[in-house]
């Protein structure tokens, strides 16, 4: 479902085909049921610079965002994909498959990252290559991610809910 095999395959292609990718790594966080198979796949294909991490608590997750330059969420199916929100709060640009619900609300294609068709390997490779070939875009697009996600803060959501309730009930509720 998370399509990590696909991601590893594209990352390997990037690492072996682009000299600018020599210092890039792939950080995979979590202990899903596929982890051992993925570790074996990386070893069998000699994919360099792939790092697997377990997480004890959600409080540990920001450490991995801090280690990262870009979030890639290549899921085959993802109702939302909260990791996109989290990465954007941490100032990361995002590459998200078109099967992730958050892609349509949070990813402004070409501004804070990219959306790609999940079945299009070439598209994902190009999106990942973009950041490898243009490292200055990581910071610029990450800053835009922070701006976009600020509209999704708890305070902003509460104001929108209050505004909606006020309109539906036709009540003169003061919304800050």
């Amino acid at each position: 479902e998370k399509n990590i095999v696909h991601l590893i395959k594209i990352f390997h292609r990037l690492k072996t085909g682009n000299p600018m990718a020599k210092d890039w790594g792939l950080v995979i966080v979590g202990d899903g049921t596929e982890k051992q198979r993925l570790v074996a796949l990386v070893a069998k294909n000699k994919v360099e610079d792939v790092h697997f991490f377990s997480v004890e608590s959600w409080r540990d997750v920001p450490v991995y965002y801090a280690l990262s330059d870009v979030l890639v969420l290549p899921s085959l199916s993802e109702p939302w994909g909260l990791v996109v929100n989290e990465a954007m709060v941490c100032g990361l640009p995002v590459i998200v498959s078109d099967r992730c619900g958050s892609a349509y609300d949070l990813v402004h294609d070409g501004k804070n990252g990219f959306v790609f068709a999940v079945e299009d390997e070439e598209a994902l490779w190009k999106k990942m290559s973009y950041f490898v070939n243009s490292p200055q875009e990581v910071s610029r697009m990450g800053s835009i991610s922070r701006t976009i996600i600020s509209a999704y803060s708890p305070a902003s959501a509460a104001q929108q809910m209050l505004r909606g309730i006020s309109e539906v009930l036709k009540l003169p509720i003061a919304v800050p």
Side-chain angles (χ1 to χ4, degrees):
E1 185 176 316
K2 299 296 184 188
N3 207 15
I4 303 301
V5 169
H6 183 74
L7 177 61
I8 291 169
K9 179 180 175 183
I10 299 300
F11 179 73
H12 184 57
R13 179 179 166 202
L14 186 65
K15 286 289 284 187
T16 58
N18 185 338
M20 292 184 69
K22 70 178 175 62
D23 294 330
W24 284 73
L26 180 61
V27 174
I28 300 172
V29 179
D31 288 317
T33 58
E34 296 291 309
K35 184 174 182 176
Q36 292 311 313
R37 187 170 76 94
L38 296 171
V39 169
L41 175 74
V42 166
K44 178 183 174 194
N45 291 292
K46 297 180 173 89
V47 184
E48 294 183 10
D49 300 318
V50 176
H51 309 280
F52 292 90
F53 295 97
S54 298
V55 177
E56 297 297 319
S57 165
W58 65 268
R59 288 178 178 90
D60 299 331
V61 173
V63 170
Y64 300 102
Y65 291 125
L67 290 172
S68 301
D69 291 306
V70 178
L71 173 84
V72 180
L73 185 61
S75 297
L76 297 170
S77 174
E78 194 80 53
W80 182 257
L82 190 58
V83 295
V84 177
N85 297 61
E86 294 169 351
M88 289 173 64
V89 165
C90 292
L92 296 179
V94 294
I95 302 173
V96 181
S97 85
D98 61 354
R99 302 281 175 86
C100 299
S102 62
Y104 303 97
D105 291 315
L106 300 180
V107 185
H108 298 198
D109 207 54
K111 296 195 180 353
N112 71 315
F114 301 101
V115 177
F116 69 97
V118 74
E119 68 280 349
D120 188 347
E121 289 185 14
E122 190 69 16
L124 178 55
W125 178 79
K126 285 179 180 176
K127 304 310 182 195
M128 291 172 66
S129 295
Y130 177 82
F131 290 107
V132 168
N133 295 329
S134 306
Q136 70 282 0
E137 290 297 287
V138 170
S139 176
R140 187 185 72 75
M141 286 186 163
S143 179
I144 294 169
S145 279
R146 273 199 181 109
T147 300
I148 291 168
I149 201 65
S150 68
Y152 292 82
S153 70
S156 177
Q159 286 180 343
Q160 291 174 33
M161 292 290 290
L162 188 56
R163 193 172 291 115
I165 291 168
S166 173
E167 290 172 11
V168 168
L169 298 178
K170 309 261 190 270
L171 295 173
I173 300 173
V175 180

